[in-house]
Amino acid sequence: MAHALPPLPYPKEALEPSIDAATMEIHHDRHHKAYVDNLNKALTGNAALEAKTLEALLGDLASVPDNIRGPVRNNGGGHWNHTFFWNLMGHGKGGSPTGDLATALTATFGSLDAFKEKFEAAGLGRFGSGWVWLVVNAGRLEIVSTPNQDNPLMGKSVSGVEGKPILACDVWEHAYYLKYQNKRADYLKAWWNVVDWSKAAALYAAAH
Ligand code: MN3
């Protein structure tokens, strides 16, 4: 069964002004679509891999033949990461986390502001293209970052990181260049205005 591009879970202008509608349209309709199309193209003709879920595929890249492992890693990662990213924005937009996640963020990083500062620094510190993540690893919250379209599902041996994702921010230039140009730091700061903390809290509740 071919992988499909999910619709954005809200209108493309829903995250204005922090993320503009034109960026959302190009990012979802062209970039994300290309990852899905190229993943399907890479898997064509391999019935066993075509039958796997995206999570199963990314969690066992070693079983993917050498000649398509790169395309599956990049485009499968791109598909999963963007689907996750869209779903972690919108709804109640911004504000502060509540409940167990808020307690754990404060316990781990000292305060919500200290957490945000560290997360932004990890996003700024990612040279070139990639992602910054909040994960639960062995019961503990951690901030990690990955290059390109790698993610924690791929495991430490592939992506250098592991754990269950709670939050992710895309720091590829295509995620912010139209509005912010080279100012990644401004994009990262504005991004907090559109985070859906209720989704992050639900992921955290399920992950620890
Ligand atoms: Mn992107």
Side-chain angles (χ1 to χ4, degrees), residues 46-208:
N46 190 321
L49 292 184
E50 282 180 306
K52 279 188 157 187
T53 64
L54 184 56
E55 286 78 6
L57 205 52
L58 297 176
D60 190 16
L61 282 170
S63 72
V64 176
D66 285 352
N67 63 323
I68 59 167
R69 190 177 303 124
V72 169
R73 175 179 178 172
N74 291 330
N75 295 292
H79 178 25
W80 194 92
N81 295 353
H82 286 84
T83 304
F84 187 75
F85 182 57
W86 310 135
N87 283 318
L88 263 293
M89 299 187 288
H91 186 57
K93 283 195 299 180
S96 299
T98 54
D100 281 359
L101 178 57
T103 307
L105 284 169
T106 304
T108 307
F109 301 101
S111 68
L112 180 62
D113 283 346
F115 157 68
K116 286 182 175 178
E117 224 168 87
K118 271 201 151 172
F119 191 93
E120 289 169 32
L124 272 177
R126 167 53 54 195
F127 182 79
S129 298
W131 292 76
V132 53
W133 306 85
L134 175 67
V135 299
V136 175
N137 187 16
R140 279 185 57 83
L141 287 171
E142 289 176 2
I143 294 167
V144 297
S145 106
T146 53
N148 306 312
Q149 297 296 352
D150 283 359
N151 67 37
L153 280 71
M154 295 172 183
K156 204 152 194 149
S157 62
V158 175
S159 67
V161 301
E162 60 190 355
K164 291 183 183 164
I166 305 298
L167 209 56
C169 185
D170 186 345
V171 297
W172 282 59
E173 279 191 344
H174 69 222
Y176 60 86
Y177 203 85
L178 280 184
K179 185 178 171 80
Y180 296 93
Q181 292 81 47
N182 60 325
K183 292 173 289 209
R184 188 188 285 183
D186 292 358
Y187 157 71
L188 279 161
K189 272 205 191 316
W191 184 70
W192 299 117
N193 298 328
V194 296
V195 168
D196 184 349
W197 284 111
S198 70
K199 294 267 180 61
L203 289 170
Y204 181 67
H208 78 114

Side-chain angles (χ1 to χ4, degrees), residues 12-46:
K12 61 183 187 294
E13 61 277 0
L15 308 181
E16 291 266 13
S18 300
I19 303 182
D20 59 290
T23 295
M24 289 300 289
E25 182 172 340
I26 294 167
H27 200 173
H28 175 269
D29 296 4
R30 300 193 210 166
H31 290 278
H32 189 171
K33 182 177 189 298
Y35 296 126
V36 175
D37 290 348
N38 289 325
L39 173 64
N40 286 328
K41 207 182 294 175
L43 296 177
T44 298
N46 190 321

